[in-house]
């Protein structure tokens, strides 16, 4: 099948030893999503039509994680001989493709699409055989440094381990965001060798090699320090998480959501929140949660994957909602658990009421009709269906089955209350 360009290559074959993990490094999560999924999105957002992921360590885990994404291909690097070698293993897959290829690394989850799109654009306009995005950082530790001549023209990249003390002080660094022109890159990679401190094939030698054979190479300082945070340790993972969390919250605040205490709120990157909703402190929202407009969430609410709150819902202190939807105007203000529940509109879920959705083997659903009232400390033993307008008394244990619409049930096990005698 012909390769559709532009192409992006994402390097992800390394183990990430310093993570001390059985998981592939790039599958560690930042705000609920794997690092590599952000890089894939950034590459797509920059315009890449085909994305080649270079896998090696724990390759199976990456196949599973990126399964079914039609624009993703895999290239296997069975031995990690360096970043230059990692790009080289993509050659058979890209045979016949001529044009731009962006090379990124899978452990930089904060990359944003806009500056990368800029790189593609500039490479095309300049007709460069290599364009590298650079960034100026406060602390360059761990990065390759960008060397320029006295006129500011790019000379080469020097890896930290190979730096002289003067070079080490340079604060313009290589974030590993390149656009190369194919097939020129293949020739350059054939020329590079392993004469460096790590005895590896360095991709960072390719730009200099291209210049040697007359290629136009430009280094553009278009990336910001926040964009290029590379995750090599659990500490870096936490730093990336904090920056990403701030971005997510900033986005929702811009969209009209109030977040009372951003430092003590956690919102998953996949969640969506409607305007005029207020999120109170110590709220944790994980997964693809959808929250409508004018809701009140928290303090201390835990909304888990599959939660859908319609407009005007209130979910208060120590309420956990999981795989459940709550209709508009429904209120669960304190100490409740709703799991696998479809709750209608205008329902009142009392303090301490729960769905007992797990029988030890399987999960079962609960439905609660519009306008029902579930009393304090009630237990609904799923599968259970509470009809519209029904009332469940405080402390009642409703066994599997149905509470008819409009009925009132009380006790353990819950039984209908006899309607008062007429007359
Ligand atoms: C690399 C760059 C450095 C840059 C830094 C930050 C080189 C030689 N150095 O160093 O200039 O500042 O990234 O972006 O490129 N990988 C493979 N196969 C390999 C080796 C690495 O797929 O054989 C992958 C890793 O999984 C990782 C990425 O390439 O995702 C970068 O490798 P890493 O070892 O982290 O490179 P750095 O030492 O950070
Ligand atoms: Ca790295």
């Amino acid at each position: 099948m012909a390769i559709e360009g532009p192409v992006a290559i994402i390097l992800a074959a390394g183990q990430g030893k310093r993570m001390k993990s059985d998981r592939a490094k790039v599958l560690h999560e930042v705000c609920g999503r794997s690092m590599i999924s952000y890089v894939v999105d950034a590459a797509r957002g920059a315009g890449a039509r085909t994305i080649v992921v270079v896998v090696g360590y724990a390759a199976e885990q990456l196949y599973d994680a990126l399964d079914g994404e039609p624009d993703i291909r895999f290239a296997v690097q069975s031995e990690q001989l360096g970043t230059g070698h990692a790009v080289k293993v993509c050659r058979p897959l890209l045979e016949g493709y001529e044009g731009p290829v962006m090379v990124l690394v899978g452990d930089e989850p904060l990359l944003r699409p806009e500056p990368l799109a800029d790189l593609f654009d500039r490479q095309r306009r300049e007709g460069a055989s290599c364009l590298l995005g650079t960034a100026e950082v406060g602390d360059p530790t761990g990065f390759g440094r960008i060397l320029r001549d006295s006129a500011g023209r790019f000379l080469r990249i020097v890896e930290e381990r190979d730096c002289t003390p003067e070079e080490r002080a340079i604060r313009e660094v290589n974030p590993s965001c390149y656009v190369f022109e194919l097939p020129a890159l293949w020739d350059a990679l054939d020329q590079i060798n392993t004469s460096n401190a790590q005895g590896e094939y360095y991709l960072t030698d390719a730009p200099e090699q291209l210049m040697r054979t007359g290629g136009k190479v430009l280094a553009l300082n278009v990336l910001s320090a926040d964009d290029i945070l590379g995750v090599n340790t659990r500490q870096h993972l936490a730093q990336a998480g904090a920056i990403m969390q701030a971005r997510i919250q900033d986005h929702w605040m811009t969209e009209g959501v109030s977040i009372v205490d951003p430092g003590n709120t956690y919102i998953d990157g996949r969640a969506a929140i409607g305007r005029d909703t207020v999120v109170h402190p110590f709220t944790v929202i994980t997964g693809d949660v959808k929250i409508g407009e004018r809701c009140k969430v928290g303090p201390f609410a835990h909304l888990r994957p599959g939660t859908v709150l319609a407009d005007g819902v209130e979910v208060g202190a120590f309420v956990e909602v999981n795989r459940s939807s709550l209709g508009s105007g429904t209120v669960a203000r304190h100490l409740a658990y709703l799991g696998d529940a479809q709750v209608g509109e205008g329902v009142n879920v009392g303090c301490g009421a729960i769905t007992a959705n797990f029988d030890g083997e399987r999960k079962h659903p609960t439905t609660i009709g519009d306008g029902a009232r579930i009393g304090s400390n009630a237990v609904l033993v799923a599968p259970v269906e509470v009809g519209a307008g029904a009332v469940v008394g405080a402390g009642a244990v409703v066994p599997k089955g149905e509470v008819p619409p409009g009925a009132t049930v009380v006790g353990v096990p819950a039984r209908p209350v006899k309607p008062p005698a007429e007359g």
Side-chain angles (χ1 to χ4, degrees):
M1 201 163 53
I3 294 288
E4 203 180 339
V7 171
I9 293 174
I10 301 176
L11 307 186
Q15 177 179 359
K17 288 195 191 73
R18 285 176 285 164
M19 295 295 282
K20 302 210 172 110
S21 176
D22 296 332
R23 252 165 127 190
K25 175 166 85 170
V26 298
L27 293 182
H28 283 267
E29 286 175 3
V30 171
C31 296
R33 293 178 56 201
S34 68
M35 289 198 264
I36 192 157
S37 69
Y38 291 101
V39 182
V40 167
D41 279 358
R44 279 183 187 140
R49 306 295 294 272
T50 300
I51 294 167
V52 181
V53 179
V54 181
V55 297
Y57 180 78
E60 300 296 330
Q61 294 177 7
L62 274 128
Y63 298 147
D64 285 350
L66 299 172
D67 186 38
E69 311 218 13
D71 53 348
I72 294 185
R73 312 283 190 93
F74 294 97
V76 180
Q77 186 195 26
S78 31
E79 249 189 304
Q80 279 76 67
L81 304 177
T83 48
H85 179 257
V87 172
K88 214 169 165 174
V89 302
C90 301
R91 187 168 184 171
L93 197 70
L94 297 176
E95 203 57 66
Y97 171 74
E98 296 191 357
V101 58
M102 177 172 286
V103 180
L104 304 171
V105 292
D107 62 358
E108 291 178 0
L110 299 173
L111 286 174
R112 287 175 300 118
E114 298 81 8
L116 300 183
D118 204 29
L119 286 180
F120 262 141
D121 197 48
R122 289 291 287 271
Q123 186 270 343
R124 192 169 40 239
R125 281 192 286 138
E126 302 277 355
S129 46
C130 171
L131 204 145
L132 38 125
T134 71
E136 189 97 23
V137 295
D139 175 12
T141 308
F143 285 104
R145 311 294 203 272
I146 304 295
L147 266 57
R148 294 179 185 270
D149 67 13
S150 52
R153 281 181 300 244
F154 172 78
L155 288 175
R156 62 193 160 90
I157 303 167
V158 53
E159 286 304 283
E160 183 165 82
R161 288 169 212 248
D162 303 298
C163 276
T164 64
E166 297 77 53
E167 291 166 345
R168 209 171 262 268
I170 295 172
R171 293 193 299 120
E172 189 185 6
V173 300
N174 169 35
S176 297
C177 300
Y178 318 78
V179 181
F180 292 100
E181 189 68 20
L182 291 182
L185 174 63
W186 302 135
D187 300 329
L189 289 176
D190 282 340
Q191 301 304 316
I192 65 175
N193 58 40
T194 59
S195 56
N196 51 57
Q198 295 197 87
E200 290 185 353
Y201 294 96
Y202 282 174
L203 179 62
T204 47
D205 289 344
E208 190 188 0
Q209 178 58 36
L210 284 162
M211 289 201 309
R212 241 179 251 136
T213 53
K216 181 173 178 184
V217 177
L218 298 172
L220 297 181
N221 184 347
V222 293
L223 294 151
S224 75
D226 267 3
D227 291 344
I228 62 160
L229 188 135
V231 173
N232 298 314
T233 64
R234 304 271 180 170
Q235 286 85 345
H236 296 151
L237 188 67
Q239 284 167 20
I243 296 170
M244 188 68 81
Q245 185 55 224
R247 286 187 186 174
I248 291 167
Q249 294 193 18
D250 185 69
H251 169 77
W252 291 117
M253 288 191 273
T254 304
E255 295 296 311
V257 175
S258 283
I259 299 174
V260 176
D261 184 1
N264 289 301
T265 302
Y266 177 88
I267 301 172
D268 193 296
R270 292 160 296 181
I273 312 177
R275 59 191 287 167
D276 285 325
T277 283
V278 180
V279 181
H280 291 275
F282 304 104
T283 291
V284 176
I285 298 171
T286 55
D288 56 342
V289 168
K290 289 187 180 58
I291 301 174
E293 300 183 359
R294 301 177 307 282
C295 292
K296 270 171 78 174
V297 180
F300 297 101
H302 188 190
L303 305 182
R304 296 174 56 199
T307 293
V308 179
L309 307 184
D311 296 341
V313 167
E314 286 186 36
V315 174
F318 304 104
V319 174
E320 176 172 332
V321 185
N322 193 17
R323 292 185 305 271
S324 295
S325 66
L326 277 59
S328 60
T330 284
V331 172
R333 282 207 182 92
H334 352 255
L335 296 164
Y337 172 66
L338 296 166
D340 301 295
Q342 302 296 314
V343 182
E345 299 181 358
V347 171
N348 193 290
V349 178
C351 177
I354 66 159
T355 54
N357 62 329
F358 185 51
D359 63 9
E361 279 178 24
R362 292 205 300 129
K363 303 278 171 65
H364 299 282
T366 297
T367 56
I368 301 176
D370 294 346
R373 282 190 291 147
I374 312 299
S376 289
N377 267 5
V379 178
L380 307 178
V381 183
V384 84
E385 203 170 315
V386 176
V391 177
V392 174
V397 175
V398 179
K400 294 175 194 301
E402 273 180 46
V403 176
T408 297
V409 297
V410 298
V412 180
R415 292 190 192 83
V417 177
K418 287 205 185 79
E422 304 237 351

